[in-house]
Amino acid sequence: MARELRDRVGDQRAGQSALRHVRSVADMHRGAQRALPRSVLDFIEGGAEDEVTIARNRSDFEQLTLLPRVLRDVSVVNLATTVLGQPVSLPVLAAPTGLTTMVHPLGEVGVAEAVSRAGTVYLASGAGGQSPEAVAAATTGPAPWFQLYLWRDRGLVRELLARTRESGFAALAFTVDVPRGGRRERDLRNGFTIPPRITAGTIAQGLARPRWSARFLRSGGLGLGDIDRQGTPQSWSERVNTQTDPSLTWAELEWLRGEWSRPLLVKGVLHPDDAARAVDCGVNAVIVSNHGGRQLDGASSTITALPGIVEAVGDRTEILLDGGVRRGTDIVKALALGARACLVGRPMLYGLATAGVDGAERVIELLREELVTAMSLLGCTSVGELTPDLIGPVAAAPRT
């Protein structure tokens, strides 16, 4: 306990210094680049193959233009909304990120604390480094949600369902876009494994980032998860492929709906027909997601897929968008096109790496500040006023 307190005090002092010049998520990203070893940064940054989908998640947001309305009283802007009936202070949720403790020993617990301070919801990863019980205990705001992978071991799945239910998780998000692990070539080039191999390269990276190394060594390598700490080192995709079940069908979603009586979401949908099928199976919300570009390279960006899914099921369920959100204007565009809220993943990791819990909280506060500004300039005083008529034609591509 005393060591943890010292670490937190040290983090707070270092974080205050690191956050002094942070004005955007991009600034926080630069902080994470300074804080993390290359292999860890590549693990959270990287995507599948040529990383085309990662680029699209950003560029397709940038291509959308805004059509502001003027001479409206915007002296008070209210960001509050609800997601699955839960009040939140703004339409931004924290997305699930695997092995968050590779970034900081607090991992998912640190994100849960930050999200609670901000008054919104954390969707905790089913491949996280901290237990569901620890995440729930660290949550003092809206009840957390849990992301579920339907592992081959159904006994483990039933155990997780029981633990999340008993811990008070308010909703379950079934991730459906990982029948096998995508080829993340950055990780392959770095020789990144779970658990990590100690090589001359990893030692050199650790020496270059002594603060991260000291934290990781003091944690004893905890945060690789109860499952992932066991066995011989494997690449991330190999470890995923030993756990995931490529034979899953819609029958498993129907089974899960029967096992879980609380709100159920499906995460990883890009095709309108799949969204409709999921709603027919009784889900309460659809998360439009391409897994952050980490699975199928060349897949649609989430903002491009969003309108088709809204048209297919928007009158029957809530729709959340996950992927590429870095600015308040991104959130405005997604909500105007029919999303209920947006999830942010990598930015939360940038904040955690840069300044611990304070850094992760600051990411949400930056997006809050940008969202108030964007809505004011659009002439909107509540998220319900963000409508498709505020989205203009796609911007012309620059000449090369």
Side-chain angles (χ1 to χ4, degrees):
M1 182 64 70
R3 186 178 68 185
E4 181 179 343
L5 180 61
R6 287 196 301 272
D7 288 347
R8 281 180 175 263
V9 170
D11 271 356
Q12 187 174 32
R13 290 172 178 167
Q16 289 170 350
S17 175
L19 293 177
R20 191 169 297 128
H21 303 293
V22 170
R23 299 291 182 268
S24 67
V25 170
D27 289 342
M28 202 73 81
H29 180 206
R30 285 186 278 273
Q33 289 175 318
R34 291 189 291 269
L36 295 176
R38 176 61 182 271
S39 60
V40 176
L41 184 68
D42 278 350
F43 174 72
I44 67 174
E45 289 275 83
E49 298 178 356
D50 295 318
E51 301 186 350
V52 171
T53 298
I54 288 182
R56 283 181 182 163
N57 275 350
R58 285 300 309 136
S59 64
D60 288 357
F61 265 118
E62 293 164 357
Q63 293 300 306
L64 293 175
T65 57
L66 295 168
L67 294 175
R69 304 300 304 273
V70 298
L71 297 178
R72 296 184 171 188
D73 182 358
V74 291
S75 53
V76 177
V77 176
N78 182 11
L79 302 184
T81 187
T82 61
V83 285
L84 296 178
Q86 284 187 279
V88 292
S89 67
L90 77 169
V92 178
L93 285 62
T97 52
L99 301 187
T100 303
T101 40
M102 291 292 292
V103 173
H104 190 287
L106 287 174
E108 293 80 13
V109 165
V111 177
E113 290 185 20
V115 170
S116 292
R117 292 181 191 174
T120 189
V121 169
Y122 181 28
L123 174 51
S125 174
Q130 300 280 11
S131 70
E133 292 83 358
V135 172
T139 300
T140 56
W145 302 351
F146 187 76
Q147 176 213 26
L148 182 75
Y149 291 98
L150 212 56
W151 305 119
R152 294 173 188 259
D153 183 347
R154 293 295 192 272
L156 174 60
V157 172
R158 288 188 175 90
E159 178 188 332
L160 281 171
L161 289 175
R163 290 168 62 190
T164 53
R165 190 181 295 113
E166 292 167 7
S167 299
F169 282 79
L172 191 72
F174 176 28
T175 294
V176 295
D177 58 355
V178 191
R180 64 177 294 116
R183 285 182 53 82
R184 301 177 197 168
E185 293 177 5
R186 293 201 209 189
D187 293 345
L188 295 173
R189 295 187 188 101
N190 289 330
F192 185 88
T193 62
I194 304 296
R197 290 189 180 95
I198 304 302
T199 66
T202 57
I203 292 172
Q205 290 183 37
L207 291 173
R209 298 291 186 271
R211 186 171 183 81
W212 178 91
S213 299
R215 286 175 179 154
F216 187 76
L217 291 173
R218 284 198 300 269
S219 74
L222 299 174
L224 294 178
D226 292 337
I227 296 171
D228 292 313
R229 277 205 308 272
Q230 300 169 8
T232 58
Q234 291 178 297
S235 72
W236 177 250
S237 61
E238 288 172 335
R239 183 54 58 95
V240 167
N241 290 340
T242 64
Q243 300 288 344
T244 57
D245 185 351
S247 70
L248 295 181
T249 68
W250 291 98
E252 277 72 27
L253 176 58
E254 294 170 354
W255 171 81
L256 192 58
R257 177 70 286 180
E259 293 286 320
W260 181 264
S261 60
R262 297 173 189 173
L264 177 65
L265 306 89
V266 166
K267 179 179 181 292
V269 175
L270 294 175
H271 198 291
D273 291 351
D274 286 343
R277 182 79 179 268
V279 174
D280 290 342
C281 290
V283 304
N284 304 98
V286 171
I287 302 177
V288 182
S289 174
N290 53 32
H291 218 93
R294 293 163 76 81
Q295 285 298 109
L296 175 65
D297 199 27
S300 168
S301 69
T302 54
I303 194 65
T304 298
L306 176 63
I309 292 178
V310 169
E311 183 178 0
V313 300
D315 60 342
R316 296 200 285 155
T317 195
E318 293 186 11
I319 299 169
L320 309 178
L321 180 134
D322 169 44
V325 174
R326 298 292 184 272
R327 287 284 189 183
T329 48
D330 299 333
I331 300 165
V332 159
K333 291 170 184 177
L335 269 58
L337 291 175
R340 185 78 175 187
C342 294
L343 291 92
V344 292
R346 288 183 176 98
M348 299 300 292
L349 299 182
Y350 302 156
L352 194 66
T354 300
V357 177
D358 291 342
E361 182 187 11
R362 182 60 181 146
V363 167
I364 299 177
E365 294 309 316
L366 285 167
L367 294 173
R368 189 194 303 274
E369 294 164 11
E370 292 180 3
L371 188 52
V372 168
T373 300
M375 288 176 58
S376 299
L377 295 174
L378 279 170
C380 298
T381 60
S382 69
V383 295
E385 295 176 6
L386 295 169
T387 51
D389 62 292
L390 298 174
I391 304 297
V394 173
R399 293 173 181 262
T400 57

